[in-house]
Amino acid sequence: MTLGRRVAAEFVGTAFLVAAVIGSGIAASRLSPDDIGLQLLENSLITGAALVALILALQPVSAAFNPVVTVAEVILGLVRKEDALPVIAAQFAGGFLGAVVANLMFDLDAVTISTHERTGSDLWLGEVVATLGLLLVIFGSVRSGRTDTVAYAVGGYITAAYWFTSSTSFANPAVTVSRIFSDTFAGIAPSSVPVFVLMQLVGGALAVVVVRALYPRETLHALDATQETAA
């Protein structure tokens, strides 16, 4: 698998993911202006469905779309250290493009800085839990040799985590930063982002410990093997 292809897949996939998150949030707020619960339901279902589709399409190349996942892949030996930085850069760049496109699709300014403050120890704990669970779902599927289930597991988990975590499960630094650039339903104020990202990193670190404790090393490279075969 060439690095260029991985970088391109991460850029495209993260762009579409962020466009789905922000775009569905805008659509939900317009279609159901008086029902926040229905807005969240619409936003969560579209995000989960988009994740399933994107992972199914791009998994043979690269389908992390998430810097925490990429760092965990490095720690677990699935991605080379020297490949991680360009992959993560592509995730952030793709996320920004996705935010801009989502804004433009709904006739908004290309960039509108969010004023939606999301702060408090309850939300921070929610981000730890959301990210821990996401990585457990991903690497639990990989290390148990069921890479063909990752797309459905991740899509289902994120849809659920929108509801059972207090933070609505950002669980992704690239998506979190990208949501700064849309002052809409899915947005997050810049001042709220640093602690969100820190808690996501904490959740990711805990997930690596849990995955190593629960799953044997012999399936560590299952995802790489599947990707190389598919390529």
Side-chain angles (χ1 to χ4, degrees), residues 24-224:
S24 63
I26 297 170
S29 64
R30 293 181 180 180
L31 293 169
S32 311
D34 301 318
D35 192 332
I36 295 177
L38 185 55
Q39 292 172 15
L40 185 63
L41 177 62
E42 292 161 347
N43 192 206
S44 64
L45 290 176
I46 275 61
T47 300
L51 271 169
V52 172
L54 290 168
I55 294 171
L56 285 174
L58 297 174
Q59 188 179 21
V61 183
S62 186
F65 317 143
N66 187 332
V68 175
V69 173
T70 300
V71 171
E73 287 178 327
V74 171
I75 294 170
L76 295 173
L78 297 169
V79 170
R80 295 181 304 176
K81 292 179 181 179
E82 56 268 30
D83 291 351
L85 185 58
V87 165
I88 290 171
Q91 292 162 351
F92 279 101
F96 176 74
L97 177 63
V100 170
V101 170
N103 287 332
L104 293 175
M105 284 195 298
F106 288 90
D107 198 28
L108 300 173
D109 291 340
V111 172
T112 56
I113 302 301
S114 178
T115 58
H116 190 168
E117 296 285 345
R118 300 175 188 262
T119 187
S121 57
D122 54 335
L123 302 188
W124 301 335
L125 176 60
E127 277 303 285
V128 173
V129 172
T131 311
L132 168 60
L134 174 61
L135 268 66
L136 179 60
V137 165
I138 293 171
F139 293 108
S141 298
V142 170
R143 297 192 86 174
S144 59
R146 296 174 296 166
T147 55
D148 57 330
T149 68
V150 171
Y152 307 105
V154 170
Y157 174 80
I158 289 297
T159 301
Y162 259 74
W163 291 88
F164 79 76
T165 65
S166 55
S167 63
T168 67
S169 186
F170 282 51
N172 183 329
V175 171
T176 303
V177 170
S178 299
R179 288 164 73 162
I180 291 173
F181 302 107
S182 186
D183 191 19
T184 57
F185 179 81
I188 181 171
S191 60
S192 301
V193 167
V195 181
F196 258 57
V197 171
L198 176 61
M199 293 302 103
Q200 290 159 5
L201 294 173
V202 170
L206 291 173
V208 169
V209 173
V210 172
V211 167
R212 281 178 161 168
L214 292 179
Y215 297 96
R217 286 189 61 86
E218 56 262 25
T219 55
L220 180 61
H221 299 287
L223 181 56
D224 266 357

Side-chain angles (χ1 to χ4, degrees), residues 1-11 61 80 83 86-87 90:
M1 186 64 59
T2 66
L3 178 58
R5 289 175 63 195
R6 285 193 174 190
V7 167
E10 292 294 332
F11 179 84
V61 183
R80 295 181 304 176
D83 291 351
V87 165

